[in-house]
C-alpha cells in the first residue's frame, strides 16, 4: 500500500512540484542576497568616492570593489567631446590605451538608445581596437551604460568579463545604477573643482591686495586676513593666543572704547577712523559691514592703509610753505635793516677813525664793539635769508663745518641766554661734499632746539650741548657725521620709536608741532643719509646726522 502511494506521487508529480518549489525559492533567496550585496557595494562605493578624486581614481576605486557584485575584468569610462566618444579612464590601466571609439562601433547603440546594453565583443572588433596586444586577457562579454547629465547622455560606462553572457537583465540594471551614481559623482567632482578654482582665485586676489584686509565676525573673532600686517603689528599679532581682533591688533583684553564694530552693529553703516599705533605708524581704518542673505550683519571687513609716509610728505609741504613765508619775511627784514645797519656801521667806523687820530683809544675801542656787533647782525640777517630760501639753493659742494658755524652764529645767543654752554669740536679734515646747505642748517637747527628744550627741565647741574663733526669710514665709503649731544632729560624707550612720526611731540602745544624730526629725517634720506639716536633717560641724548661724502 505504501509502495502504491509513492508510485502515485511519482506518477502525479506531487513530489516533483515540491522539489521545484524549494529549488525556485532557494534561487530567489540567492538572487535577493546577491541584489542586497550589490546595493551594499553600491552604497560603499558612494561613500568611498570623494569629490576631490580624479576620474581615473574613481574608476580604479570602483574596479577594486565591483567583482564582489558581478563579473568584471575590465572597467572603462568614455566621455563625449566635440561629438566623439573618447576613452578617458580604464582599469586595469595596462589593459587598453586611451583613445576615441570608432563611430561604427556597436557601443554607440547604448549612447543613442540611452539604456544599458550587453554585447559580445567578438561581434564588434572595432569596439576595442585599442586593446594592448600583449594583454593575455580576452573579453567575451561587454556591457555599456549611458552616463546622464540632466537629460542628455555625455558618456558611457563600460564593463567587460572573460565569461560568456556575464551581463543579463539584473546585471544590466545594476550596471545602469552604477553608471548613474558615477555620473553624479563626476558632476560633484566637476562642481567641486569649479568652486575650488573660484575660491583659489578669490583667495589669490584677496592676498594680492597690498593693504592689510581683515574679516571679523560680530563676536570680534578674526576669520580671515591677507598676511599684509603693518610692520609694527606683526610681533603682537603672532604672539597673541586669542583670536579676538582687539587682542591681535592692539594687545587689549577687551573691546576697544568706541569700537567701530559696535557702531556698525547699531547703525549698519561703514565707519572710518585714523589710528596712531604705539609703534609710530599712522593707519587709515575703513570698516565695512558684511550682510548675509537675510540682510543681517554677519561680519565686518577692515581695510588698513598706512598713511605714515603721506603724512610725512604733507608735513614737509607744510614746512616748505612756512619756509617760503619766512623767506619772504626775511627778504623784507633784510631790505629794511641793511640800510640802517650800513649807516650805523659806516658812521661808527668814521668816528672810530677820528678818535684814533685824536688819541682817544678808549672811545675808539667802544666804537669797535659797535662795529663788530653791527657786522654780526648783518651776517645773521644774511644767514637767515639763505636758510629760509632752501628751495632756491641746489645741491652743491659745501663745507659742513662752515654750515655748522653759520647756524651757531644765528642761534647761539638764544641758547646761551638759557644758561646753556655750547662746546664745539670740528674735524677740519672733512672734505667738501655735495649737499643742500640750507637743508643741513635746518636739520642742525632742529637738533639744537630740541637739545635746548631737553635741558630746560634739568636742574642742579651744568647744562651742556656739544656740537661736533667727524669723518667716519664704513667699509669703502666715507661719511660725514654731524652730532649734537646734550645732558638733558633723555627719551623713554617706549617713545623712541615715535619721535620721527609726523605731529608726535612730547612738548606743550605752544612749544612744538611734532614736525622737526620728521622733516629732518626726510632731509637726511633725500641726501642718501640717515639719523642715529643714542639716548638714556635722565642722562641725555645724542642725535647724529650721517651724510655720505662719496656718492655712489
Amino acid at each position: 500500500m505504501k509502495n502504491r502511494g509513492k508510485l502515485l506521487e511519482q506518477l502525479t508529480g506531487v513530489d516533483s512540484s515540491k522539489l521545484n518549489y524549494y529549488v525556485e525559492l532557494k534561487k530567489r533567496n540567492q538572487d535577493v542576497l546577491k541584489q542586497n550585496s550589490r546595493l551594499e557595494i553600491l552604497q560603499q562605493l558612494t561613500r568611498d568616492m570623494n569629490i576631490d578624486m580624479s576620474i581615473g581614481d574613481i574608476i580604479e576605486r570602483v574596479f577594486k570593489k565591483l567583482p564582489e557584485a558581478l563579473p568584471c575584468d575590465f572597467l572603462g569610462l568614455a566621455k563625449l567631446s566635440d561629438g566623439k566618444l573618447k576613452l578617458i579612464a580604464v582599469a586595469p590601466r595596462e589593459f587598453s590605451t586611451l583613445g576615441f571609439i570608432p563611430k561604427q562601433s556597436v557601443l554607440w547603440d547604448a549612447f543613442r538608445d540611452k539604456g544599458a546594453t550587453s554585447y559580445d565583443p567578438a561581434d564588434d572588433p572595432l569596439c576595442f581596437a585599442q586593446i594592448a596586444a600583449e594583454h593575455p586577457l580576452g573579453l567575451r562579454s561587454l556591457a555599456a551604460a549611458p552616463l546622464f547629465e540632466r537629460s542628455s547622455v555625455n558618456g558611457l560606462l563600460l564593463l567587460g568579463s572573460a565569461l560568456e553572457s556575464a551581463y543579463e537583465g539584473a546585471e544590466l540594471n545594476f550596471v545602469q545604477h552604477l553608471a548613474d551614481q558615477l555620473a553624479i559623482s563626476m558632476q560633484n567632482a566637476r562642481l567641486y573643482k569649479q568652486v575650488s578654482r573660484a575660491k583659489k582665485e578669490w583667495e589669490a586676489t584677496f592676498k594680492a591686495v597690498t593693504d592689510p584686509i581683515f574679516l571679523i565676525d560680530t563676536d570680534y573673532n578674526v576669520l580671515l586676513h591677507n598676511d599684509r600686517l603693518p610692520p609694527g603689528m606683526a610681533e603682537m599679532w603672532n604672539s597673541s593666543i586669542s583670536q579676538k581682533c582687539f587682542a591681535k591688533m592692539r594687545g587689549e583684553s577687551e573691546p576697544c572704547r568706541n569700537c567701530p564694530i559696535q557702531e556698525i552693529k547699531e547703525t549698519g553703516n561703514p565707519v572710518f577712523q585714523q589710528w596712531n599705533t604705539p609703534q609710530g605708524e599712522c593707519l587709515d581704518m575703513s570698516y565695512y559691514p558684511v550682510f548675509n542673505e537675510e540682510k543681517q550683519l554677519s561680519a565686518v571687513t577692515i581695510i588698513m592703509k598706512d598713511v605714515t609716509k603721506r603724512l610725512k610728505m604733507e608735513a614737509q609741504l607744510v614746512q616748505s610753505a612756512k619756509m617760503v613765508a619766512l623767506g619772504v619775511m626775511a627778504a623784507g627784514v633784510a631790505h629794511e635793516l641793511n640800510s640802517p645797519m650800513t649807516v650805523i656801521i659806516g658812521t661808527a667806523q668814521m668816528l672810530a677813525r677820528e678818535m684814533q687820530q685824536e688819541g682817544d683809544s678808549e672811545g675808539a675801542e667802544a666804537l669797535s664793539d659797535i662795529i663788530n656787533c653791527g657786522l654780526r647782525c648783518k651776517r645773521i640777517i644774511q644767514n637767515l635769508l639763505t636758510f629760509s630760501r632752501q628751495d632756491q639753493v641746489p645741491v652743491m659742494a659745501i663745507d659742513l663745518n662752515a654750515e655748522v658755524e653759520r647756524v651757531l652764529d644765528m642761534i647761539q645767543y638764544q641758547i646761551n641766554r638759557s644758561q646753556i654752554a655750547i662746546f664745539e669740536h670740528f674735524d677740519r679734515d672733512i672734505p667738501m661734499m655735495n649737499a643742500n646747505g640750507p637743508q643741513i642748517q635746518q636739520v642742525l637747527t632742529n637738533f639744537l632746539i630740541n637739545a635746548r628744550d631737553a635741558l630746560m627741565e634739568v636742574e642742579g647741574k651744568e647744562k651742556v650741548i656739544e656740537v661736533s663733526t667727524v669723518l667716519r669710514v664704513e667699509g669703502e665709503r666715507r661719511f660725514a657725521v654731524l652730532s649734537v649731544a646734550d645732558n638733558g632729560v633723555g627719551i623713554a624707550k617706549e617713545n623712541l620709536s615715535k619721535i620721527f612720526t609726523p605731529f608726535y611731540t612730547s612738548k606743550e602745544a605752544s612749544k612744538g608741532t611734532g614736525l622737526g624730526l620728521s622733516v629732518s629725517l626726510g632731509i637726511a634720506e633725500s641726501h642718501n643719509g640717515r639719523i642715529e639716536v643714542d639716548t638714556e633717560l635722565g642722562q641725555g641724548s645724542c642725535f647724529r646726522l650721517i651724510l655720505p661724502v662719496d656718492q655712489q
Side-chain angles (χ1 to χ4, degrees), residues 175-187:
V175 172
Q176 186 60 62
H177 286 313
L178 179 60
D180 293 340
Q181 187 60 50
L182 283 174
I184 294 173
S185 299
M186 288 188 296
Q187 290 178 36

Side-chain angles (χ1 to χ4, degrees), residues 303-410:
I303 301 177
M304 291 183 180
K305 191 170 187 65
D306 191 340
V307 296
T308 307
K309 292 183 179 179
R310 190 194 73 192
L311 291 179
K312 185 184 295 185
M313 292 177 62
E314 292 175 353
Q316 290 175 344
L317 290 175
V318 170
Q319 186 71 3
S320 297
K322 289 170 63 179
M323 291 298 101
V324 170
L326 182 59
V328 175
M329 185 187 305
V333 170
H335 178 72
E336 295 293 331
L337 293 182
N338 270 335
S339 295
M341 289 303 300
T342 301
V343 174
I344 292 171
I345 295 170
T347 303
Q349 288 174 338
M350 290 175 61
L351 290 173
R353 189 180 303 112
E354 291 178 358
M355 287 182 178
Q356 286 178 349
Q357 291 175 354
E358 296 174 357
D360 187 358
S361 58
E362 292 184 359
E365 184 177 352
L367 288 173
S368 177
D369 290 339
I370 295 175
I371 294 169
N372 290 334
C373 288
L375 292 173
R376 181 170 179 270
C377 288
K378 290 196 70 174
R379 287 198 306 272
I380 291 174
I381 292 172
Q382 185 60 42
N383 288 340
L384 180 62
L385 179 61
T386 304
F387 170 75
S388 64
R389 291 181 176 175
Q390 56 181 283
D391 57 331
Q392 299 180 15
V393 181
V395 173
M396 58 186 297
I398 66 166
D399 182 345
L400 180 62
N401 293 324
E403 301 295 336
V404 174
E405 289 172 345
R406 290 191 184 97
V407 174
L408 291 176
D409 283 343
M410 183 172 59

